[in-house]
């Protein structure tokens, strides 16, 4: 990055008498650069520059700033961070809840993790931050993630997992998993057999939500609301026996019109109703694969901006970075987890060692 000529003029340099003067100036400059980068991010977030009339009646606008103490390469500094009225501004150069500013390398990786392509990052760095980085330089920086991605993908795992959504089971076992208490699958062909061959003691629950979707696939639109409402009586029943009675009632009402739906429930009944064997708190976790589907949806949110990937490594790198971004928001524990954990210990006392 070129240093402005005025910074090297005799007149400018004459103000520095000691090493402390230079250090103080560099620290102040560092602070001002961060603040200008944050202002640039806010301009980009709102879509208009500060004091511009384009912000009138835009639905969101600047709302002053707040002081934040950060640690940088130059030491501790206090900067002014802009904020918007809607509270939607998520700064990249100095992220929320973090006290350390991003280095250029970390900034590039952060932008790449959020789904931006190499060429987009090049433009972003220039337009918002005034930093010139070639696509090749950005590629070199992001390629450093590949090793971390590989290490993460092959990291040792815990010896026991209480609940697993269907994955590459043989790989999990090779990486140290010895037991899975409950697996939840979407009932694709061969899932149950594969699970039993690798983890024979695992209990298998078929996702009820997938079953409902499959049951409703060919139901005419005007009857779908009533049809799904009647299905709720089955999986919301208090016990497996009560659920069986509700299925019989369901068949009496809909069996003649939609026999395939009844047949599917009866063929998969034992694995669809495993969750009834557990307390209500555990049932809510294991009757559906929606949690893992939610994660997959968030990964797609980060990767969809890239229409194609040059190779498998580029895709793995992007997915790994997406997951690291998603993990930052995994601070809310499962509701009633202490109670649920104790229920697991009671039910599987011979297989869980605390």
């Amino acid at each position: 990055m070129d240093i402005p000529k005025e910074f090297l003029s005799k007149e400018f340099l004459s103000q520095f008498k000691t090493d402390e003067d230079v250090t103080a100036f560099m620290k102040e400059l560092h602070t001002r650069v961060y603040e200008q980068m944050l202002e640039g991010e806010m301009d980009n977030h709102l879509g208009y520059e500060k004091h511009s009339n384009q912000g009138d009646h835009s639905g969101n606008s600047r709302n002053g700033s707040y002081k934040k103490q950060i640690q940088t390469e130059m030491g501790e500094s206090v900067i002014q961070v802009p904020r918007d009225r809607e509270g939607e501004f998520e700064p990249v150069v100095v992220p929320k809840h973090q006290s350390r500013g991003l280095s250029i390398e970390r900034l590039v990786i952060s932008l790449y993790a959020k789904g931006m392509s190499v060429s987009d990052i090049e433009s972003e760095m220039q337009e918002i931050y005034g930093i010139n980085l070639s696509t090749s330089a950005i590629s070199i920086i992001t390629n450093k993630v590949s090793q971390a991605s590989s290490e993460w993908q092959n990291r040792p795992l815990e010896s026991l997992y209480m609940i697993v959504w269907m994955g590459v089971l043989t790989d999990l076992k090779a990486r140290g998993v010895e037991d899975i208490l409950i697996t939840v699958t979407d009932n694709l062909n061969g899932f149950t057999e594969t699970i039993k061959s690798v983890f024979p003691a695992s209990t298998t629950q078929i996702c009820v939500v997938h079953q409902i979707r499959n049951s409703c696939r060919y139901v005419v639109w005007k009857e779908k609301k009533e049809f799904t409402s009647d299905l709720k009586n089955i999986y919301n029943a208090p016990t497996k026996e009560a659920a069986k009675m509700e299925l019989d009632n369901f068949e009496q009402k809909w069996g003649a019109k939609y026999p395939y739906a009844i047949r599917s429930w009866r063929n998969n009944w034992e694995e669809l109703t495993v969750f009834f064997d557990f307390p209500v708190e555990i049932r809510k976790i294991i009757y559906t694969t929606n949690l893992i589907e939610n994660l997959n949806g968030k990964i797609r949110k980060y990767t969809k901006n890239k229409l194609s990937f040059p190779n498998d490594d580029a895709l793995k790198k992007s997915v790994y970075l997406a997951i690291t971004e998603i993990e930052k928001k995994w601070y809310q524990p499962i509701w009633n987890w202490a109670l649920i954990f104790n229920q697991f210990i009671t039910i599987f006392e011979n297989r869980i060692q605390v």
Side-chain angles (χ1 to χ4, degrees), residues 27-82:
K27 185 175 181 179
E28 179 67 17
L29 179 62
H30 212 243
T31 299
R32 297 291 169 258
V33 168
Y34 269 117
E35 291 178 340
Q36 288 303 309
M37 292 173 77
L38 287 166
E39 289 294 345
E41 286 193 47
M42 179 61 83
D43 290 346
N44 185 64
H45 170 68
L46 296 175
Y48 59 88
E49 295 183 359
K50 195 172 184 177
H51 307 305
S52 171
N53 292 333
Q54 294 178 7
D56 296 343
H57 310 295
S58 63
N60 197 6
S61 59
R62 283 174 171 78
N63 188 29
S65 61
Y66 62 93
K67 292 182 178 180
K68 182 170 185 174
Q69 187 170 295
I70 63 170
Q71 297 290 335
T72 72
E73 288 82 354
M74 300 301 299
E76 189 176 274
S77 297
V78 177
I79 62 173
Q80 295 288 338
V81 181

